[in-house]
Amino acid sequence: DTAVSQTPKYLVTQMGNDKSIKCEQNLGHDTMYWYKQDSKKFLKIMFSYNNKELIINETVPNRFSPKSPDKAHLNLHINSLELGDSAVYFCASSSHQSFGTENTEAFFGQGTRLTVV
Amino acid sequence: AQSVTQLDSQVPVFEEAPVELRCNYSSSVSVYLFWYVQYPNQGLQLLLKYLSGSTLVKGINGFEAEFNKSQTSFHLRKPSVHISDTAEYFCAVSDPFGANNLFFGTGTRLTVIP
């Protein structure tokens, strides 16, 4: 039973399109995240939600809009896709906002490879 | 702000040989340190973490890491690697004040050669 699941796993789309990536966690966690991994494998946080409330919003274009309908879901909607958006997007969740507690661990989904052509 | 440097982008090593993957961090405050592993086409999985206390931390799959505050390092080691250890390894840092964020290094690709 997958803890953090993302759909789709692969997404190929044309420039200018709007697309969404869905994420669901069945761990009962309060905090969810979106990370972007670029072609050089560099991972950077995009957003963090705690109990459906936005906590972290890094310098991400307004074309990216996260939506958290409930604690178990954090979807990522991207408008007007650009070539530079091509990357692997990872969803993650944790039981706490702080990674400094003994039992806090971030669980990652398998990633969504987005290719914009 | 925190940052993480993984000096080696690729590390090839023969099966059953020891390995060390290097990680250095910079931070103006005390930090929490993590190692994650990413197997092909999978998400990241926590190997081990350092929060406080003993500087030698043991993790899953026989890995361990040592926190060295004076050298601002958190190198990952395994005395004898297996083919199944072939993966991408990421060092990450978080701090007690902005602790709901993980800052990742650029990763080290470990390839175990039969």
Side-chain angles (χ1 to χ4, degrees), chain A residues 9-10 31 33 35 37 40-45 48 55-56 58 88 90 96-111 113, chain B residues 4 32 34 36 38 40-47 49-52 88 90 93-96 98-109:
Chain A
K9 193 172 180 180
Y10 299 97
T31 309
Y33 314 81
Y35 281 84
Q37 186 178 45
K40 295 183 180 177
K41 298 275 187 177
F42 182 59
L43 266 161
K44 189 173 181 196
I45 193 166
S48 167
I55 302 298
I56 292 177
E58 291 295 305
V88 181
F90 285 100
H96 249 275
Q97 277 186 260
S98 168
F99 288 109
T101 57
E102 196 59 49
N103 297 322
T104 299
E105 175 184 341
F107 288 82
F108 284 79
Q110 289 190 323
R113 183 174 294 277
Chain B
V4 178
Y32 305 129
F34 308 81
Y36 279 83
Q38 183 181 21
N41 300 314
Q42 294 189 27
L44 281 76
Q45 179 183 0
L46 181 67
L47 271 178
K49 62 183 175 184
Y50 171 80
L51 303 182
S52 65
E88 194 87 25
F90 292 92
V93 63
S94 181
D95 75 70
N100 55 345
N101 190 5
L102 286 171
F103 294 90
F104 286 89
T106 49
T108 297
R109 172 74 180 172

Side-chain angles (χ1 to χ4, degrees), chain B residues 34-70:
Chain B
F34 308 81
W35 274 99
Y36 279 83
V37 59
Q38 183 181 21
Y39 297 106
N41 300 314
Q42 294 189 27
L44 281 76
Q45 179 183 0
L46 181 67
L47 271 178
L48 47 80
K49 62 183 175 184
Y50 171 80
L51 303 182
S52 65
S54 173
T55 57
L56 183 62
V57 180
K58 292 191 184 300
I60 62 171
N61 301 341
F63 283 93
E64 64 179 31
E66 185 153 22
F67 170 57
N68 188 319
K69 188 174 181 180
S70 62

Side-chain angles (χ1 to χ4, degrees), chain A residues 82-95:
Chain A
E82 300 176 359
L83 292 176
D85 297 332
S86 295
V88 181
Y89 292 84
F90 285 100
C91 178
S93 74
S94 66
S95 57

Side-chain angles (χ1 to χ4, degrees), chain A residues 50-96:
Chain A
N50 186 61
N51 277 321
K52 302 196 302 174
E53 182 182 340
L54 182 65
I55 302 298
I56 292 177
N57 184 354
E58 291 295 305
T59 310
V60 176
N62 290 337
R63 300 181 294 103
F64 290 78
S65 54
K67 286 186 172 50
S68 182
D70 54 58
K71 273 186 2 175
H73 296 84
L74 181 61
N75 304 323
L76 184 65
H77 189 75
I78 315 170
N79 289 328
S80 303
L81 277 155
E82 300 176 359
L83 292 176
D85 297 332
S86 295
V88 181
Y89 292 84
F90 285 100
C91 178
S93 74
S94 66
S95 57
H96 249 275

Side-chain angles (χ1 to χ4, degrees), chain B residues 76-88:
Chain B
L76 181 70
R77 296 192 292 256
K78 186 169 182 178
S80 175
V81 295
H82 302 291
I83 297 289
S84 59
D85 293 323
T86 294
E88 194 87 25

